């Protein structure tokens, strides 16, 4: 049975097929010393990868991303620091202690 990824290659006409006597066996074939080494390729550092990706972004995109991040940071700081100036609505109970459990209705 053929492998599903098998690709049939055509041989040009006029080229003789090599005979078993002319093909060297793997044991007698000369192997260069560098071919025997099996090294994994060196992986680039994450910092270099990030800098390379950043270099592909146009300056306007970098500016927009920086301004967006600064606005999110500013909104977070303002939310945590500034107290609201408006009083509590008259139909609401001022915020006090709250419970994480469900409250039973009095109805």
């Amino acid at each position: 049975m053929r492998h599903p990824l098998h690709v049939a290659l055509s041989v040009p006409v006029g080229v003789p097929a090599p005979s078993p006597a002319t093909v060297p066996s793997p044991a007698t074939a000369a192997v260069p010393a560098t071919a025997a080494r099996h090294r994994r390729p060196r992986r680039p550092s994450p910092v270099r990868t990030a800098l390379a990706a950043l270099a592909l972004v146009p300056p306007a995109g970098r500016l927009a991303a920086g301004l967006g991040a600064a606005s999110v940071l500013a909104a977070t700081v303002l939310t945590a620091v500034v107290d609201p100036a408006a009083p509590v609505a008259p139909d609401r109970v001022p915020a006090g202690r709250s419970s994480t459990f469900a409250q039973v209705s009095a109805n």
Side-chain angles (χ1 to χ4, degrees):
M1 179 175 169
R2 263 195 201 166
H3 190 273
L5 299 177
H6 175 80
V7 178
L9 300 176
S10 63
V11 177
V13 179
V15 177
S19 64
T22 60
V23 177
S25 68
T28 60
V31 178
T34 57
R37 274 196 228 161
H38 297 288
R39 277 193 189 171
R40 287 184 16 197
R42 191 172 190 183
R43 293 177 50 186
S45 70
V47 174
R48 286 184 188 220
T49 305
L51 289 176
L54 186 62
L56 296 176
V57 178
R62 282 183 266 173
L63 177 64
L67 289 175
S71 67
V72 168
L73 182 63
T76 304
V77 169
L78 287 174
T79 303
V81 173
V82 176
D83 290 327
V88 177
D91 61 337
R92 307 254 183 218
V93 178
R97 295 180 57 170
S98 64
S99 171
T100 56
F101 297 104
Q103 304 292 322
V104 177
S105 174
N107 293 340

